[in-house]
Amino acid sequence: MIGRLMAMTAHSGKGSELAAVLLRVAERLHGFPGCEIYLISQDAADPDTVHVTEVWQDESSAQAALAASSSADGPNPADVLALLSSPPHRTDLTVLGGVGLPTADGQP
């Protein structure tokens, strides 16, 4: 499994709008093959900073979701980028396990 932590800073006063767009993305990913977690959080101290925590079965699943978002109805990457005051910060992870993730036998 792979993971990503994304930190995004919206233009001043646009954090809730950014979070709403990302929640729409998350809704569209519900049940998407290979998507284990797509969690949207807003920084309690700075509401213009929004975090996305992602867990995918593999890189190809993450790439397939990105490709699908460009062609599907609803928000696309350009909608998110238009709300940002600076480029997103991305941290790539190797996911080892934890609460809420399936085990090797597919059970949570």
Side-chain angles (χ1 to χ4, degrees):
M1 272 188 266
I2 65 160
R4 292 191 182 123
L5 300 176
M6 302 289 293
M8 302 179 201
T9 303
H11 293 289
S12 183
K14 297 286 187 177
S16 292
E17 187 176 343
L18 174 60
V21 168
L22 290 168
L23 285 167
R24 288 176 45 216
V25 171
E27 183 63 32
R28 198 171 60 224
L29 289 173
H30 184 75
F32 194 91
C35 182
E36 301 297 336
I37 294 174
Y38 196 86
L39 175 68
I40 310 304
S41 305
Q42 203 163 9
D43 191 311
D46 177 9
D48 286 330
T49 299
V50 178
H51 298 271
V52 180
T53 305
E54 303 176 44
V55 177
W56 299 92
Q57 280 295 318
D58 50 41
E59 182 63 31
S60 61
S61 298
Q63 291 303 317
L66 189 58
S69 71
S70 297
S71 61
D73 290 336
N76 61 53
D79 297 326
V80 173
L81 293 173
L83 293 167
L84 301 182
S85 65
S86 60
H89 180 264
R90 174 177 155 173
T91 302
D92 291 318
L93 308 167
T94 300
V95 176
L96 304 176
V99 176
L101 293 175
T103 60
D105 64 1
Q107 300 299 312

